[in-house]
Amino acid sequence: MASFAATVNRMPELRASIAEHPQRFRVLTGERPTGRLHLGHYLGTIRERVRLQAQGVETFVVLADYQVIADRDMARNIRENVYEAVLDYLAAGLDPRRTTIFTHSAVPALNQLLLPFLSLVTEAELHRNPTVKAELAASGRALSGLLLTYPVHQAADILFCKGNLVPVGKDNLPHVEAARMIARRFNERYGKVFPEPEPLVTDTPELPGLDGRKMSKSYGNAIALGMSDDETADIIRRARTDSERTITYDPINRPGVSGLLATASACLDRAPEDIASEIGQKGSGALKALTTTAVNEFLRRHRERRASLDRGDAVALLCEGNARAAAVAEGTLNEVRERMGMLYDSLL
Ligand code: TRP
């Protein structure tokens, strides 16, 4: 498997090639609708999608609702989370005429690719997948068949539209590797149908949460894109700092202060050390005030656009996106069945 460093090293060349020939690429990316989208999503992935769209790369975004039940019993608030995510995508500038946004469960032919793909992997390979192992450990539950086969249905997500470029976080890299392997094995066995998708990663560090830990809804340390200015002020006010008055950027020893500085830094596009020295002795009250203003200014336009949209816009967009994705998936599934000798509607 290519190392993370090797993958990152390849990025300048890949990005140059995307800029030069955007029409050669088709992006498939997505997320699990487990909660509201937050500032980390915006900075890490949503902005990148808008950039790719602006470059003229055709993009598919999956809201992977079936994946939500891979490591938990219940799919809570899925509809709500899906609609809210769609509103954030629209507010961020994804254009439904150029970007197909769809939900997993609404595209039967995509899901059906899972069966032939499962025949191309061994149980041992599935058990070795580092992301599956990590998610299993984090879930604290018995391994479900869906979690075990996660890389295979994620391969179906990517390959149903012949996506060849997959913007992902580091933790999803093994899944892209699995998709490449499945594409390769299918092509070897039945003739070339699928591209071998490439990951698109950034080496900029992830934005930590307000307490310096990984940003996550379950830690209560994430600023949701859809929060109001007051809710934002509130969650920042409640963030835990420390008793040291002088503000310094020190992520290891001062996670709270540094989480706030990292947040302000991302929104203001200024170095965190620089913001720290500007605040100096004024303490964490001043840091929180500055961070609140920075976040609310940064998200102002997003939130205005979001407020001008409603549930009906999200429903309409998904109906269209799901229909488009379903048509693409049926085309690919037919090709797959034809290669496997499983089309029965003609004498040829
Ligand atoms: N597994 C991804 C996540 O953790 C979401 C996802 C589903 C995805 N299908 C994908 C990402 C295909 C990239 C490509 O959020």
Side-chain angles (χ1 to χ4, degrees):
M1 196 200 291
S3 72
F4 182 59
T7 306
V8 169
N9 283 340
R10 152 122 184 86
M11 288 307 114
E13 193 191 323
L14 182 59
R15 285 189 191 274
S17 157
I18 297 166
E20 202 177 339
H21 304 289
Q23 71 290 348
R24 288 191 192 159
F25 291 90
R26 184 177 259 190
V27 164
L28 179 294
T29 182
E31 49 238 327
R32 277 175 285 181
T34 51
R36 301 288 163 93
L37 294 179
H38 54 58
L39 196 56
H41 292 119
Y42 185 81
L43 296 164
T45 55
I46 300 177
R47 248 193 339 191
E48 171 93 282
R49 293 174 197 166
V50 176
R51 238 180 269 135
L52 287 164
Q53 175 188 270
Q55 284 184 296
V57 181
E58 188 180 8
T59 301
F60 285 72
V61 179
V62 59
L63 283 160
D65 48 3
Y66 272 152
Q67 277 191 359
V68 176
I69 50 172
D71 62 358
R72 63 201 89 190
D73 287 340
M74 294 254 281
R76 283 206 182 81
N77 305 323
I78 295 283
R79 258 160 71 92
E80 189 68 21
N81 294 338
V82 163
Y83 290 143
E84 292 294 321
V86 168
L87 294 182
D88 277 321
Y89 292 157
L90 287 171
L94 285 183
D95 174 356
R97 284 168 306 181
R98 289 186 285 168
T99 297
T100 303
I101 300 169
F102 67 99
T103 49
H104 230 164
S105 61
V107 185
L110 182 163
N111 290 291
Q112 198 178 324
L113 288 174
L114 185 61
L115 296 179
F117 285 0
L118 279 171
S119 73
L120 300 169
V121 295
T122 66
E123 186 210 351
E125 283 168 338
L126 294 173
H127 279 290
R128 270 203 300 272
N129 183 294
T131 311
V132 169
K133 283 201 247 176
E135 302 230 349
L136 174 62
S139 79
R141 320 174 61 88
L143 179 62
S144 76
L146 187 60
L147 183 54
L148 180 63
T149 55
Y150 194 112
V152 189
H153 53 87
Q154 190 146 315
D157 298 348
I158 298 168
L159 297 175
F160 92 94
C161 66
K162 304 193 180 176
N164 59 3
L165 190 62
V166 188
V168 279
K170 191 177 173 176
D171 53 346
N172 265 273
L173 276 178
H175 292 333
V176 182
E177 201 59 45
R180 292 171 64 84
M181 182 184 81
I182 288 168
R184 201 176 323 122
R185 289 181 184 169
F186 186 94
N187 294 343
E188 276 164 15
R189 208 169 283 185
Y190 301 107
K192 182 160 173 22
V193 171
F194 296 110
E196 285 182 38
E198 281 204 79
L200 183 68
V201 291
T202 46
D203 53 358
T204 43
E206 243 176 45
L207 181 67
L210 291 171
D211 54 3
R213 289 191 288 174
K214 187 178 165 61
M215 191 183 291
S216 158
K217 201 190 65 149
S218 52
Y219 292 158
N221 64 358
I223 299 168
L225 298 175
M227 277 179 177
S228 67
D229 284 9
D230 286 348
E231 286 168 328
T232 305
D234 222 49
I235 193 171
I236 291 176
R237 193 175 313 118
R238 287 200 314 264
R240 191 164 329 145
T241 50
D242 54 45
S243 51
E244 178 76 49
R245 183 141 191 97
T246 306
I247 298 303
T248 52
Y249 184 62
D250 180 355
I252 306 283
N253 298 309
R254 307 187 69 188
V257 163
S258 302
L260 288 165
L261 284 168
T263 304
S265 153
C267 293
L268 297 170
D269 203 11
R270 283 175 60 189
E273 294 84 357
D274 183 32
I275 300 171
S277 65
E278 178 188 309
I279 297 177
Q281 311 257 333
K282 293 203 280 290
S284 58
L287 171 60
K288 288 181 173 182
L290 177 142
T291 306
T292 303
T293 310
V295 172
N296 284 341
E297 275 310 312
F298 183 73
L299 291 177
R300 183 161 317 283
R301 284 193 41 229
H302 181 90
R303 287 171 173 171
E304 279 166 8
R305 281 194 293 258
R306 207 178 189 287
S308 72
L309 301 162
D310 63 21
R311 190 52 64 93
D313 297 307
V315 173
L317 176 139
L318 276 179
C319 284
E320 209 185 297
N322 284 340
R324 224 187 297 159
V328 171
E330 272 156 39
T332 304
L333 180 62
N334 271 330
E335 223 180 306
V336 161
R337 289 192 291 210
E338 188 185 353
R339 290 299 173 89
M340 297 191 304
M342 298 183 189
L343 268 192
Y344 309 108
D345 54 2
S346 87
L347 288 173
L348 294 177

